[in-house]
Amino acid sequence: MKKYSLIFLFLVGFIALFSACNDDDKYIPTPPVVSIESLSGVFAMPQEDSIILKAKVESPLETTLRWSVNGEETSTDSIYTFKMNDLGNYEVKLTATNADGEVSATTPVEVYGKYKYGTFILNEGASLRGDIASKLSFINPKGIFTDSVYQKENNGEMLKLLSQDLFISSNKMYFISQRNTLTVVNAETLKKEIIYEDEIKDLVAPTHLVVLDDNIYIRDNKGVYLFKLSDKSLTFIEGSNGARKNTMALVDGKVFVSKGKSVVVIEKGKEEISHTIDFEGNVSGIIKSADKNLWVSDASGKISKMNVKDYSISQTNELPTEAAKLLTASYAAAPSISAKGDTLYISALQSKIYRHIFSKNQTDFMVDAKEMVENVNIVYNTVSVNPINGDVILNSIKGYGENIAVNNISIFDFSGSEPTLKANYENYLRYPAGTFFTYNFE
């Protein structure tokens, strides 16, 4: 019996040992599962801003974290605030480590210039009774207003007097001054790159421009000229005589110019007008549409949609009398219309703002700015709508002379049942030449 008992105990011990070894074989290591989350939902930001990144970690074991940017360790917390002032693309890496292993996740983060996206208001200044310098103001997407941004970014240097228009192309911003100066800056930083003066000295009071690759089309008192950056040549575009002092449009690699009752077309590489499209009244506005065709308004009180490939008119809407009056070809240097999608806004040089929904042929009176903002006596140029968020901007002054210093940049929100004044920036204007949204140049 004692012999059998020993055998039994041996077998029980062997089975227990075998079971323990078998349990060890079944152990599955559990290294962490890790990913990176942006609390704002974006991984791109302007310089001097920040992005809050959060570590998302799944691990049953104690885990340590390590953040690095381009290989340099920056933090060991679960929340990391990414800040960089230098433009460029960065690799953010999050490494999670527990007793069972080490796992990493990476994400690219872009830092772009703080002026890449937003709204510019160009002030031409004046040369009457002493010069009032041109200046550029900026409203970022968060609604933060900064005055004289060109001056701030160029060590106090002022924009050339009577800067009338700007255009953004290939990450460069171009300013044209009636004093025969073409200034080129970096579109993200506003740092000056080059100024052309002698090369365009033969122009007479140039006011508007369009940039197509290295071809710059400049409108002056005679017509439209082609200034080629490659050889610095300046050539008059035949047939452009009498081009209206107003914004030109670039769509489908073609330049569209208003001239009397017509829109004329300049094709790249040509030194004469290629096509002429006639309208019932003097053309008061031409702007690129969201689907990359053309909106055209004319003094007969109509707005048309034009196909830029075959120049056909797909639809023409006639506005009611009061709104139609605002489509006259006035002395304003900006178009009579501004658009977000198929919704257009009209004010001409008045404080009353109308909205026209083109697809519904519906026109509504939105607001008289005088009822919501003080000192709106003279509307300077025309109303403009932000093509992204629908904000409508109206620039106004109390009057001329000393009263020019009393003015408003008024931003209206028409998304609700009643108009609201979203923001009003007082006393920054100095004869505003126009409002420019970076998104319209994309």
Side-chain angles (χ1 to χ4, degrees):
M1 289 294 294
K2 185 179 293 185
K3 177 181 179 181
Y4 288 117
S5 296
L6 290 172
I7 294 172
F8 177 76
L9 290 173
F10 175 78
L11 290 174
V12 170
F14 179 79
I15 292 170
L17 180 62
F18 179 81
S19 297
C21 292
N22 198 40
D23 287 343
D24 287 342
D25 291 342
K26 288 182 178 179
Y27 181 77
I28 301 174
T30 53
V33 176
V34 61
S35 62
I36 300 172
E37 178 184 35
S38 167
L39 295 188
S40 62
V42 300
F43 292 89
M45 68 175 204
Q47 58 187 147
E48 300 180 7
D49 206 340
S50 62
I51 296 177
I52 300 177
L53 301 174
K54 180 180 180 181
K56 295 189 67 176
V57 182
E58 297 178 15
S59 174
L61 306 175
E62 183 177 349
T63 304
T64 60
L65 301 174
R66 185 173 72 254
W67 296 89
S68 64
V69 177
N70 289 353
E72 182 177 343
E73 186 173 329
T74 56
S75 175
T76 57
D77 294 331
S78 60
I79 300 291
Y80 169 54
T81 301
F82 175 90
K83 290 183 178 180
M84 286 290 174
N85 288 333
D86 293 335
L87 276 60
N89 294 304
Y90 296 84
E91 182 186 75
V92 177
K93 183 177 182 180
L94 171 63
T95 302
T97 307
N98 66 16
D100 284 346
E102 182 176 282
V103 177
S104 296
T106 62
T107 184
V109 176
E110 178 193 2
V111 178
Y112 53 83
K114 57 185 173 181
Y115 303 110
K116 184 174 183 179
Y117 302 110
T119 304
F120 288 99
I121 298 172
L122 178 62
N123 294 267
E124 62 181 295
S127 58
L128 301 174
R129 298 176 184 176
D131 289 350
I132 300 175
S134 295
K135 68 172 183 172
L136 188 68
S137 302
F138 180 69
I139 306 172
N140 77 6
K142 295 180 180 180
I144 299 173
F145 183 93
T146 308
D147 195 31
S148 302
V149 286
Y150 176 89
Q151 183 180 358
K152 292 180 188 300
E153 300 300 337
N154 290 281
N155 300 316
E157 180 179 329
M158 308 295 287
L159 266 175
K160 189 68 174 180
L161 184 65
L162 301 182
S163 290
Q164 181 79 58
D165 193 18
L166 69 81
F167 197 90
I168 302 173
S169 176
S170 300
N171 206 38
K172 296 184 188 300
M173 185 180 295
Y174 300 79
F175 299 91
I176 190 67
S177 160
Q178 294 186 61
R179 294 290 179 86
N180 290 33
T181 302
L182 175 64
T183 303
V184 185
V185 306
N186 182 291
E188 295 189 32
T189 65
L190 300 186
K191 299 295 185 183
K192 183 182 69 176
E193 296 187 357
I194 192 169
I195 291 180
Y196 299 99
E197 291 182 296
D198 290 342
E199 297 87 348
I200 60 171
K201 63 181 178 1
D202 293 333
L203 297 177
V204 180
T207 60
H208 294 84
L209 80 168
V210 161
V211 181
L212 177 58
D213 299 329
D214 73 337
N215 299 302
I216 303 181
Y217 297 87
I218 304 174
R219 179 265 168 207
D220 80 343
N221 284 354
K222 181 180 178 182
V224 179
Y225 286 80
L226 170 59
F227 176 52
K228 289 187 177 181
L229 293 177
S230 57
D231 59 9
K232 310 302 184 295
S233 61
L234 188 67
T235 306
F236 183 72
I237 301 296
E238 296 299 328
S240 68
N241 306 67
R244 184 170 173 243
K245 184 182 177 181
N246 206 271
T247 305
M248 301 181 288
L250 175 65
V251 193
D252 194 37
K254 305 169 188 175
V255 180
F256 295 84
V257 184
S258 57
K259 177 184 172 182
K261 294 184 178 181
S262 303
V263 171
V264 296
V265 184
I266 305 171
E267 296 180 350
K268 183 179 178 181
K270 296 187 177 181
E271 297 178 358
E272 69 282 334
I273 296 300
S274 299
H275 299 276
T276 299
I277 304 95
D278 295 324
F279 291 85
E280 186 174 338
N282 286 329
V283 175
S284 59
I286 50 173
I287 57 174
K288 180 174 67 174
S289 63
D291 62 358
K292 297 193 171 45
N293 283 295
L294 204 68
W295 296 112
V296 181
S297 63
D298 72 80
S300 69
K302 297 175 182 178
I303 299 175
S304 301
K305 183 74 169 293
M306 188 178 85
N307 186 301
V308 298
K309 295 190 181 299
D310 61 13
Y311 312 117
S312 61
I313 306 299
S314 60
Q315 182 178 329
T316 296
N317 293 350
E318 185 170 359
L319 274 59
T321 303
E322 291 304 313
K325 292 178 182 177
L326 303 179
L327 296 180
T328 57
S330 67
Y331 60 84
S336 291
I337 50 176
S338 184
K340 177 185 183 296
D342 80 331
T343 300
L344 297 101
Y345 289 88
I346 310 110
S347 75
L349 297 171
Q350 297 188 24
S351 59
K352 295 181 179 179
I353 301 174
Y354 287 81
R355 180 178 68 192
H356 179 74
I357 303 175
F358 193 80
S359 58
K360 298 180 180 180
N361 196 12
Q362 174 185 325
T363 305
D364 300 295
F365 170 69
M366 303 309 295
V367 74
D368 186 338
K370 289 182 178 181
E371 297 178 358
M372 301 186 74
V373 183
E374 293 183 358
N375 299 313
V376 180
N377 293 334
I378 299 173
V379 172
Y380 223 88
N381 270 313
T382 56
V383 72
S384 301
V385 60
N386 186 313
I388 302 298
N389 62 18
D391 286 349
V392 175
I393 300 181
L394 190 74
N395 297 320
S396 62
I397 62 176
K398 183 178 181 180
Y400 294 106
E402 294 182 356
N403 286 327
I404 189 68
V406 181
N407 52 72
N408 295 278
I409 302 168
S410 305
I411 303 181
F412 295 94
D413 182 353
F414 296 133
S415 61
S417 58
E418 295 293 331
T420 60
L421 184 64
K422 185 175 180 178
N424 193 66
Y425 306 100
E426 298 181 1
N427 307 331
Y428 289 106
L429 296 174
R430 295 296 182 269
Y431 301 97
T435 301
F436 303 87
F437 305 98
T438 59
Y439 320 103
N440 281 333
F441 297 95
E442 296 176 349

